[in-house]
């Protein structure tokens, strides 16, 4: 199922009005002023508009940042939330937010999660440093305060931004006047060639989309970044494929060495995905000529072949399906060592001098069908699993999220041309007789070696924190006290490659011990209710959750009388040791639940920590378990009256969530639990989020695993989650109920469902579903969020059906 679907990536909506904009008339302006005058005016204009973003101070050390903040405090009268952003002194393109709050200077590392996508601590991942800061100006989201004033310096670097201001260069490009573009590029007043327009595009993106070849050529020669991402996560190559401009593809690759493997950070699509989605055969052909992989995999595993098929571009399907992979010119006997193990491989590569790109392939111990690539980079040895999988009845080989290849040899050949996710391309192998073999390359291919340097993420145990973590502490300001819990906000380190064997042993594969102050109360404003471990006894497993198993248990809490204890049945969600990256999500779920108290919502009891530092989330035990299982197992014993009652209760619980300004984002039959036949409760708050006070929707910035089939179109297309999108999911939940646990949309894939909904089609009326109930579902699935019913109306409907007056009695007791 597709987790993420980006409807904007075809870019047409962004471009719809561009050429008609009054801003664009450069030709006209040049009649009355010289280009130089216009450029100066433009520069001053943009400078004025950028005033709000001049919080960036470049590379300055921490103590310098604090000095600047101190001066700012004198000026602004010790204003809480005074901040600046700087480049980390330990690595370029990594940033730090320096912030003053309540007498303390904080320094938060800003992690680049993926290209130009940033996050602070465990907060949301946001595209662009500019939008990240804007978000924290609106809401604190886990920081000690929201950002208020800043110490002024300059706006953030172009390539790290989401959008900017449309300048004269953008305008001349959009008007397709190469002469003027050239003059601008040659002028000393030329704006940065990689500046982004208000639509989040660089001049090169625009030239590529419209197919202005001369201009693209000029821009590349003036240093335009050919691999930079626009607002939709597209590179100029992606944009060519969006606009069907096959001619520019070769210019980008030949003149600019553009990377045919660059992934859209939002979807994982590389340019050929884009071309297949749009059905542009010429683009596909030329990309394949330039050795684009023909079966790359997106974040949700979708290949261009899947896209071409789903969108019915039969000529593209044939082209990709019948594509002949280039003949292999590398041989297994040059690099394959069936007998060798990990330490042996390490030793052999060390013996051969750990040359950059030196490698061998060995069998995997984990799975007899798999292999391991052992590779040298930077004098260290890294190991990558080569997995196999059946795809359309073909046995395919792949590394991490890399492309499918039909043989091990094809895969090795591919990675000798493109690093694409590995730390470096493969250059030379060692064979079983311990000779070095230069990997053969055909000349035509040779110039296209990809220098990209991204690492696979799922083969990597966490490395110890890098020195940047020094930036995570805070110190006393001139006027404030020193706090002793300085590490409260230490963020996780970004993924790193498998550590070399010679490096210190990796940290244990479980969350670090959580001091109660440190992790459980990570967000200072919400401290979690804690339970002593010894008061809990654990029983049998009752389910499997996202983070690990859910077990039944008993909580012995202190009773009212002296020395008395009361025993309560509880459900305990265990946070699995290996789910190290999800600890914050787990705690987020606990924090959300703790704020809620309602008879139609599962009650949170507390959080505990096991002897070996595993986390446990303790909640009330709901004896009949998941409503979905109940619907499937007891369909003959469930009456309409039961379904109406549960529907009314779910709507009532959702009314309460709405009052608490919370969107659930995962309302589905599987997440409703039954206490009894008369009592349904909403559970699983793992995806729930607070909606901001100024807005009635939550904007998701990270993909994650999304239940697409339960999501309204605005969630899928724009990441907008609101009470109205919860209403859509409620409609799907109703459909599951009235079809007694059938899976919605059968075995359709997520992407097919999106298309189905876009075409105006909806789930059909289940066999035994009353017309009135189906009418409610259809209302919930109105394309227009504002037209959908409210939970209040839905509650009233299901409660108010005359023949079911018992519902009303039960509901009355719930309200009291
Ligand atoms: P979850 O992690 O919330 O998706 O839970 C996984 C499964 O564990 C559910 O489908 C239920 O079968 C069971 N479960 C979760 N929470 C409870 C609870 N409070 N009481 C009883 N069973 C539960």
């Amino acid at each position: 199922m597709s987790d993420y679907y980006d409807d904007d990536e075809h870019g047409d909506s962004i471009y719809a009005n561009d050429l008609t904009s009054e801003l664009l008339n450069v030709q006209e302006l040049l009649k009355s002023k010289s280009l130089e005058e216009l450029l100066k005016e433009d520069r001053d204009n943009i400078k004025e508009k950028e005033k709000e973003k001049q919080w960036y101070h470049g590379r300055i050390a921490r103590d310098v940042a604090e000095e600047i903040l101190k001066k700012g405090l004198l000026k602004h009268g010790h204003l809480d939330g005074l901040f600046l952003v700087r480049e980390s002194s330990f690595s370029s393109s990594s940033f730090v937010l320096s912030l003053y709050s309540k007498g303390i200077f904080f320094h938060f590392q800003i992690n680049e999660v993926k290209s130009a996508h940033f996050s602070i601590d465990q907060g949301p991942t946001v595209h662009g440093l500019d939008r990240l800061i804007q978000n924290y100006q609106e809401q604190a989201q886990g920081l000690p305060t929201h950002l208020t004033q800043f110490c002024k310096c300059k706006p953030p670097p172009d390539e790290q931004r989401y959008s900017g201001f449309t300048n004269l260069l953008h305008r001349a490009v959009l008007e397709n006047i190469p002469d003027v573009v050239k003059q601008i590029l040659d002028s000393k007043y030329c704006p940065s060639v990689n500046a982004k327009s208000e639509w989040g595009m660089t001049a090169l993106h625009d030239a590529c989309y419209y197919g202005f070849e001369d201009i693209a050529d000029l821009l590349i020669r003036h240093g335009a970044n050919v691999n930079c991402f626009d607002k939709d996560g597209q590179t100029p190559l992606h944009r060519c494929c969006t606009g069907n401009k096959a001619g520019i593809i070769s210019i980008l690759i030949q003149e600019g060495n553009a990377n045919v493997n660059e992934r859209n950070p939002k979807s994982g699509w590389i340019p050929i995905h884009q071309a297949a989605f749009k059905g542009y055969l010429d683009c596909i052909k030329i990309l394949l000529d330039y050795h684009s992989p023909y079966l790359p995999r997106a974040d949700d595993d979708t290949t261009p072949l899947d896209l071409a098929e789903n969108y019915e571009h039969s000529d593209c399907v044939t082209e990709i399906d019948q594509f002949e992979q280039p003949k292999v010119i590398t041989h297994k006997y040059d690099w394959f060592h069936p007998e060798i193990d990990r330490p042996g491989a390490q030793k052999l590569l060390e013996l051969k001098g750990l040359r950059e790109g030196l490698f061998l392939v060995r069998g995997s111990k984990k799975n007899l069908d798999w292999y391991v690539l052992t590779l040298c980079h930077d004098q260290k040895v890294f190991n990558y699993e080569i997995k196999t999988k059946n795809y359309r009845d073909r046995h395919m080989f792949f590394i991490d999220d890399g492309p499918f290849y039909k043989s091990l040899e094809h895969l090795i050949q591919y990675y000798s041309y493109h690093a694409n996710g590995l730390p470096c391309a493969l250059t030379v192998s060692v064979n079983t007789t311990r000779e070095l073999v230069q990997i053969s390359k055909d000349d035509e291919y040779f110039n296209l070696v990809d220098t990209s340097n991204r690492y696979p993420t799922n083969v990597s145990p966490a490395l110890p924190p890098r020195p940047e973590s020094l930036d995570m502490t805070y110190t006393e300001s001139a006027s404030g006290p020193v706090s002793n819990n300085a590490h409260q906000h230490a963020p996780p380190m970004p993924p790193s490659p498998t550590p070399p064997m010679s490096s210190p042993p990796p940290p244990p594969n479980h969350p670090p011990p959580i001091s109660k102050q440190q992790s459980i109360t990570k967000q200072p404003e919400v401290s979690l209710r804690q339970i002593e471990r010894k008061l809990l006894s654990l029983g049998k497993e009752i389910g499997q959750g996202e983070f690990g198993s859910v077990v039944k248990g008993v909580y012995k809490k202190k009773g009212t009388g002296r020395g008395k204890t009361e025993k309560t049945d509880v459900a305990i969600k265990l946070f699995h040791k290996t789910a190290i990256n999800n600890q914050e999500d787990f705690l987020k779920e606990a924090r959300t639940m703790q704020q809620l108290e309602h008879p139609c919502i599962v009650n949170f009891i507390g959080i505990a920590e096991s002897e070996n530092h595993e986390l446990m989330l303790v909640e009330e035990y709901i004896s009949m378990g998941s409503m979905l299982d109940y619907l499937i197992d007891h369909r003959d014993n469930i009456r309409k009256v039961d379904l109406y009652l549960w529907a009314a209760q779910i709507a009532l619980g959702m009314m309460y969530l709405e009052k608490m300004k919370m969107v659930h984002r995962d309302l589905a039959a599987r997440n409703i639990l039954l206490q009894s036949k008369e009592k349904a409760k909403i559970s699983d708050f793992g995806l729930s989020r607070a909606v901001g006070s100024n807005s009635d929707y939550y904007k998701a910035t990270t993909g994650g695993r999304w239940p697409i089939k339960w999501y309204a179109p605005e969630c899928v297309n724009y990441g907008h989650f609101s009470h109205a999108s919860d209403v859509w999911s409620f409609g799907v939940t109703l459909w599951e109920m009235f079809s007694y646990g059938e899976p919605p949309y059968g075995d359709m894939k997520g992407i097919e469902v999106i298309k189905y909904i876009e075409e105006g089609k909806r789930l059909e009326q289940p066999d035994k579903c009353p017309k009135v109930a189906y009418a409610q579902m259809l209302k919930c699935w109105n394309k227009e969020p504002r037209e959908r019913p409210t939970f209040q109306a839905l509650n009233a409907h299901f409660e108010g059906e005359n023949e079911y007056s018992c519902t009303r009695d039960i509901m009355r007791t719930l309200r009291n």
Side-chain angles (χ1 to χ4, degrees), residues 172 175-184 214-215 218:
E175 278 182 61
N176 192 16
I177 30 181
D179 293 351
V180 178
V181 171
K182 184 163 183 333
Q183 286 173 43
I184 295 177
D214 296 349
I215 294 182
L218 273 171

mmCIF file with all atom_site columns, all heavy atoms in Angstrom, residues 172 175-184 214-215 218:
data_model
loop_
_atom_site.group_PDB
_atom_site.id
_atom_site.type_symbol
_atom_site.label_atom_id
_atom_site.label_alt_id
_atom_site.label_comp_id
_atom_site.label_asym_id
_atom_site.label_entity_id
_atom_site.label_seq_id
_atom_site.pdbx_PDB_ins_code
_atom_site.Cartn_x
_atom_site.Cartn_y
_atom_site.Cartn_z
_atom_site.occupancy
_atom_site.B_iso_or_equiv
_atom_site.pdbx_formal_charge
_atom_site.auth_seq_id
_atom_site.auth_comp_id
_atom_site.auth_asym_id
_atom_site.auth_atom_id
_atom_site.pdbx_PDB_model_num
ATOM 1   N N   . ALA A 1 172 ? 12.537 36.528 -16.021 1.00 0.00 ? 172 ALA A N   1
ATOM 2   C CA  . ALA A 1 172 ? 13.065 36.490 -17.390 1.00 0.00 ? 172 ALA A CA  1
ATOM 3   C C   . ALA A 1 172 ? 13.054 35.054 -17.928 1.00 0.00 ? 172 ALA A C   1
ATOM 4   O O   . ALA A 1 172 ? 12.808 34.823 -19.112 1.00 0.00 ? 172 ALA A O   1
ATOM 5   C CB  . ALA A 1 172 ? 14.477 37.053 -17.404 1.00 0.00 ? 172 ALA A CB  1
ATOM 6   N N   . GLU A 1 175 ? 9.569  34.144 -18.924 1.00 0.00 ? 175 GLU A N   1
ATOM 7   C CA  . GLU A 1 175 ? 9.179  34.802 -20.174 1.00 0.00 ? 175 GLU A CA  1
ATOM 8   C C   . GLU A 1 175 ? 9.963  34.273 -21.371 1.00 0.00 ? 175 GLU A C   1
ATOM 9   O O   . GLU A 1 175 ? 9.765  34.719 -22.489 1.00 0.00 ? 175 GLU A O   1
ATOM 10  C CB  . GLU A 1 175 ? 9.396  36.317 -20.057 1.00 0.00 ? 175 GLU A CB  1
ATOM 11  C CG  . GLU A 1 175 ? 8.253  36.992 -19.349 1.00 0.00 ? 175 GLU A CG  1
ATOM 12  C CD  . GLU A 1 175 ? 8.450  38.489 -19.269 1.00 0.00 ? 175 GLU A CD  1
ATOM 13  O OE1 . GLU A 1 175 ? 8.538  39.141 -20.327 1.00 0.00 ? 175 GLU A OE1 1
ATOM 14  O OE2 . GLU A 1 175 ? 8.556  38.988 -18.152 1.00 0.00 ? 175 GLU A OE2 1
ATOM 15  N N   . ASN A 1 176 ? 10.892 33.375 -21.102 1.00 0.00 ? 176 ASN A N   1
ATOM 16  C CA  . ASN A 1 176 ? 11.699 32.763 -22.159 1.00 0.00 ? 176 ASN A CA  1
ATOM 17  C C   . ASN A 1 176 ? 12.433 33.808 -23.006 1.00 0.00 ? 176 ASN A C   1
ATOM 18  O O   . ASN A 1 176 ? 12.271 33.855 -24.231 1.00 0.00 ? 176 ASN A O   1
ATOM 19  C CB  . ASN A 1 176 ? 10.811 31.848 -23.033 1.00 0.00 ? 176 ASN A CB  1
ATOM 20  C CG  . ASN A 1 176 ? 11.662 30.980 -23.958 1.00 0.00 ? 176 ASN A CG  1
ATOM 21  O OD1 . ASN A 1 176 ? 12.867 30.834 -23.746 1.00 0.00 ? 176 ASN A OD1 1
ATOM 22  N ND2 . ASN A 1 176 ? 11.036 30.413 -24.980 1.00 0.00 ? 176 ASN A ND2 1
ATOM 23  N N   . ILE A 1 177 ? 13.208 34.654 -22.337 1.00 0.00 ? 177 ILE A N   1
ATOM 24  C CA  . ILE A 1 177 ? 14.014 35.622 -23.080 1.00 0.00 ? 177 ILE A CA  1
ATOM 25  C C   . ILE A 1 177 ? 15.499 35.364 -22.763 1.00 0.00 ? 177 ILE A C   1
ATOM 26  O O   . ILE A 1 177 ? 16.076 35.979 -21.855 1.00 0.00 ? 177 ILE A O   1
ATOM 27  C CB  . ILE A 1 177 ? 13.599 37.099 -22.786 1.00 0.00 ? 177 ILE A CB  1
ATOM 28  C CG1 . ILE A 1 177 ? 13.039 37.256 -21.350 1.00 0.00 ? 177 ILE A CG1 1
ATOM 29  C CG2 . ILE A 1 177 ? 12.602 37.592 -23.795 1.00 0.00 ? 177 ILE A CG2 1
ATOM 30  C CD1 . ILE A 1 177 ? 12.600 38.670 -21.001 1.00 0.00 ? 177 ILE A CD1 1
ATOM 31  N N   . PRO A 1 178 ? 16.090 34.438 -23.544 1.00 0.00 ? 178 PRO A N   1
ATOM 32  C CA  . PRO A 1 178 ? 17.467 34.017 -23.251 1.00 0.00 ? 178 PRO A CA  1
ATOM 33  C C   . PRO A 1 178 ? 18.454 35.182 -23.217 1.00 0.00 ? 178 PRO A C   1
ATOM 34  O O   . PRO A 1 178 ? 19.353 35.200 -22.362 1.00 0.00 ? 178 PRO A O   1
ATOM 35  C CB  . PRO A 1 178 ? 17.807 33.058 -24.397 1.00 0.00 ? 178 PRO A CB  1
ATOM 36  C CG  . PRO A 1 178 ? 16.505 32.654 -24.989 1.00 0.00 ? 178 PRO A CG  1
ATOM 37  C CD  . PRO A 1 178 ? 15.515 33.721 -24.683 1.00 0.00 ? 178 PRO A CD  1
ATOM 38  N N   . ASP A 1 179 ? 18.279 36.180 -24.100 1.00 0.00 ? 179 ASP A N   1
ATOM 39  C CA  . ASP A 1 179 ? 19.235 37.302 -24.118 1.00 0.00 ? 179 ASP A CA  1
ATOM 40  C C   . ASP A 1 179 ? 19.260 38.001 -22.766 1.00 0.00 ? 179 ASP A C   1
ATOM 41  O O   . ASP A 1 179 ? 20.320 38.314 -22.221 1.00 0.00 ? 179 ASP A O   1
ATOM 42  C CB  . ASP A 1 179 ? 18.817 38.357 -25.153 1.00 0.00 ? 179 ASP A CB  1
ATOM 43  C CG  . ASP A 1 179 ? 18.933 37.798 -26.542 1.00 0.00 ? 179 ASP A CG  1
ATOM 44  O OD1 . ASP A 1 179 ? 19.489 36.688 -26.662 1.00 0.00 ? 179 ASP A OD1 1
ATOM 45  O OD2 . ASP A 1 179 ? 18.454 38.469 -27.473 1.00 0.00 ? 179 ASP A OD2 1
ATOM 46  N N   . VAL A 1 180 ? 18.058 38.273 -22.273 1.00 0.00 ? 180 VAL A N   1
ATOM 47  C CA  . VAL A 1 180 ? 17.971 38.988 -20.998 1.00 0.00 ? 180 VAL A CA  1
ATOM 48  C C   . VAL A 1 180 ? 18.503 38.091 -19.867 1.00 0.00 ? 180 VAL A C   1
ATOM 49  O O   . VAL A 1 180 ? 19.225 38.552 -18.985 1.00 0.00 ? 180 VAL A O   1
ATOM 50  C CB  . VAL A 1 180 ? 16.513 39.431 -20.725 1.00 0.00 ? 180 VAL A CB  1
ATOM 51  C CG1 . VAL A 1 180 ? 16.403 40.122 -19.384 1.00 0.00 ? 180 VAL A CG1 1
ATOM 52  C CG2 . VAL A 1 180 ? 16.015 40.316 -21.850 1.00 0.00 ? 180 VAL A CG2 1
ATOM 53  N N   . VAL A 1 181 ? 18.166 36.803 -19.929 1.00 0.00 ? 181 VAL A N   1
ATOM 54  C CA  . VAL A 1 181 ? 18.674 35.884 -18.902 1.00 0.00 ? 181 VAL A CA  1
ATOM 55  C C   . VAL A 1 181 ? 20.197 35.951 -18.884 1.00 0.00 ? 181 VAL A C   1
ATOM 56  O O   . VAL A 1 181 ? 20.826 36.042 -17.831 1.00 0.00 ? 181 VAL A O   1
ATOM 57  C CB  . VAL A 1 181 ? 18.188 34.438 -19.165 1.00 0.00 ? 181 VAL A CB  1
ATOM 58  C CG1 . VAL A 1 181 ? 18.892 33.449 -18.250 1.00 0.00 ? 181 VAL A CG1 1
ATOM 59  C CG2 . VAL A 1 181 ? 16.680 34.344 -18.982 1.00 0.00 ? 181 VAL A CG2 1
ATOM 60  N N   . LYS A 1 182 ? 20.787 35.953 -20.083 1.00 0.00 ? 182 LYS A N   1
ATOM 61  C CA  . LYS A 1 182 ? 22.249 35.971 -20.160 1.00 0.00 ? 182 LYS A CA  1
ATOM 62  C C   . LYS A 1 182 ? 22.804 37.266 -19.550 1.00 0.00 ? 182 LYS A C   1
ATOM 63  O O   . LYS A 1 182 ? 23.759 37.242 -18.760 1.00 0.00 ? 182 LYS A O   1
ATOM 64  C CB  . LYS A 1 182 ? 22.694 35.832 -21.608 1.00 0.00 ? 182 LYS A CB  1
ATOM 65  C CG  . LYS A 1 182 ? 24.193 35.759 -21.746 1.00 0.00 ? 182 LYS A CG  1
ATOM 66  C CD  . LYS A 1 182 ? 24.629 35.229 -23.067 1.00 0.00 ? 182 LYS A CD  1
ATOM 67  C CE  . LYS A 1 182 ? 26.145 35.104 -23.163 1.00 0.00 ? 182 LYS A CE  1
ATOM 68  N NZ  . LYS A 1 182 ? 26.930 35.997 -22.350 1.00 0.00 ? 182 LYS A NZ  1
ATOM 69  N N   . GLN A 1 183 ? 22.160 38.366 -19.913 1.00 0.00 ? 183 GLN A N   1
ATOM 70  C CA  . GLN A 1 183 ? 22.633 39.652 -19.362 1.00 0.00 ? 183 GLN A CA  1
ATOM 71  C C   . GLN A 1 183 ? 22.524 39.669 -17.833 1.00 0.00 ? 183 GLN A C   1
ATOM 72  O O   . GLN A 1 183 ? 23.408 40.168 -17.145 1.00 0.00 ? 183 GLN A O   1
ATOM 73  C CB  . GLN A 1 183 ? 21.805 40.802 -19.927 1.00 0.00 ? 183 GLN A CB  1
ATOM 74  C CG  . GLN A 1 183 ? 22.122 41.135 -21.377 1.00 0.00 ? 183 GLN A CG  1
ATOM 75  C CD  . GLN A 1 183 ? 21.144 42.167 -21.896 1.00 0.00 ? 183 GLN A CD  1
ATOM 76  O OE1 . GLN A 1 183 ? 20.819 43.128 -21.217 1.00 0.00 ? 183 GLN A OE1 1
ATOM 77  N NE2 . GLN A 1 183 ? 20.651 41.957 -23.110 1.00 0.00 ? 183 GLN A NE2 1
ATOM 78  N N   . ILE A 1 184 ? 21.432 39.126 -17.348 1.00 0.00 ? 184 ILE A N   1
ATOM 79  C CA  . ILE A 1 184 ? 21.267 39.099 -15.879 1.00 0.00 ? 184 ILE A CA  1
ATOM 80  C C   . ILE A 1 184 ? 22.380 38.268 -15.244 1.00 0.00 ? 184 ILE A C   1
ATOM 81  O O   . ILE A 1 184 ? 23.022 38.668 -14.278 1.00 0.00 ? 184 ILE A O   1
ATOM 82  C CB  . ILE A 1 184 ? 19.878 38.521 -15.486 1.00 0.00 ? 184 ILE A CB  1
ATOM 83  C CG1 . ILE A 1 184 ? 18.770 39.442 -15.968 1.00 0.00 ? 184 ILE A CG1 1
ATOM 84  C CG2 . ILE A 1 184 ? 19.779 38.304 -13.981 1.00 0.00 ? 184 ILE A CG2 1
ATOM 85  C CD1 . ILE A 1 184 ? 17.364 38.935 -15.693 1.00 0.00 ? 184 ILE A CD1 1
ATOM 86  N N   . ASP A 1 214 ? 17.943 26.600 -24.264 1.00 0.00 ? 214 ASP A N   1
ATOM 87  C CA  . ASP A 1 214 ? 19.072 27.549 -24.239 1.00 0.00 ? 214 ASP A CA  1
ATOM 88  C C   . ASP A 1 214 ? 19.259 28.106 -22.831 1.00 0.00 ? 214 ASP A C   1
ATOM 89  O O   . ASP A 1 214 ? 20.380 28.274 -22.346 1.00 0.00 ? 214 ASP A O   1
ATOM 90  C CB  . ASP A 1 214 ? 18.801 28.737 -25.171 1.00 0.00 ? 214 ASP A CB  1
ATOM 91  C CG  . ASP A 1 214 ? 18.714 28.266 -26.606 1.00 0.00 ? 214 ASP A CG  1
ATOM 92  O OD1 . ASP A 1 214 ? 19.069 27.100 -26.853 1.00 0.00 ? 214 ASP A OD1 1
ATOM 93  O OD2 . ASP A 1 214 ? 18.280 29.066 -27.454 1.00 0.00 ? 214 ASP A OD2 1
ATOM 94  N N   . ILE A 1 215 ? 18.131 28.402 -22.226 1.00 0.00 ? 215 ILE A N   1
ATOM 95  C CA  . ILE A 1 215 ? 18.210 28.994 -20.886 1.00 0.00 ? 215 ILE A CA  1
ATOM 96  C C   . ILE A 1 215 ? 18.764 27.986 -19.881 1.00 0.00 ? 215 ILE A C   1
ATOM 97  O O   . ILE A 1 215 ? 19.620 28.317 -19.048 1.00 0.00 ? 215 ILE A O   1
ATOM 98  C CB  . ILE A 1 215 ? 16.828 29.530 -20.460 1.00 0.00 ? 215 ILE A CB  1
ATOM 99  C CG1 . ILE A 1 215 ? 16.437 30.698 -21.362 1.00 0.00 ? 215 ILE A CG1 1
ATOM 100 C CG2 . ILE A 1 215 ? 16.813 29.925 -18.995 1.00 0.00 ? 215 ILE A CG2 1
ATOM 101 C CD1 . ILE A 1 215 ? 15.125 31.355 -21.035 1.00 0.00 ? 215 ILE A CD1 1
ATOM 102 N N   . LEU A 1 218 ? 22.420 27.892 -20.248 1.00 0.00 ? 218 LEU A N   1
ATOM 103 C CA  . LEU A 1 218 ? 23.043 29.089 -19.652 1.00 0.00 ? 218 LEU A CA  1
ATOM 104 C C   . LEU A 1 218 ? 23.118 28.978 -18.131 1.00 0.00 ? 218 LEU A C   1
ATOM 105 O O   . LEU A 1 218 ? 24.142 29.264 -17.512 1.00 0.00 ? 218 LEU A O   1
ATOM 106 C CB  . LEU A 1 218 ? 22.171 30.317 -19.960 1.00 0.00 ? 218 LEU A CB  1
ATOM 107 C CG  . LEU A 1 218 ? 22.402 31.050 -21.264 1.00 0.00 ? 218 LEU A CG  1
ATOM 108 C CD1 . LEU A 1 218 ? 21.304 32.098 -21.479 1.00 0.00 ? 218 LEU A CD1 1
ATOM 109 C CD2 . LEU A 1 218 ? 23.768 31.749 -21.192 1.00 0.00 ? 218 LEU A CD2 1
#
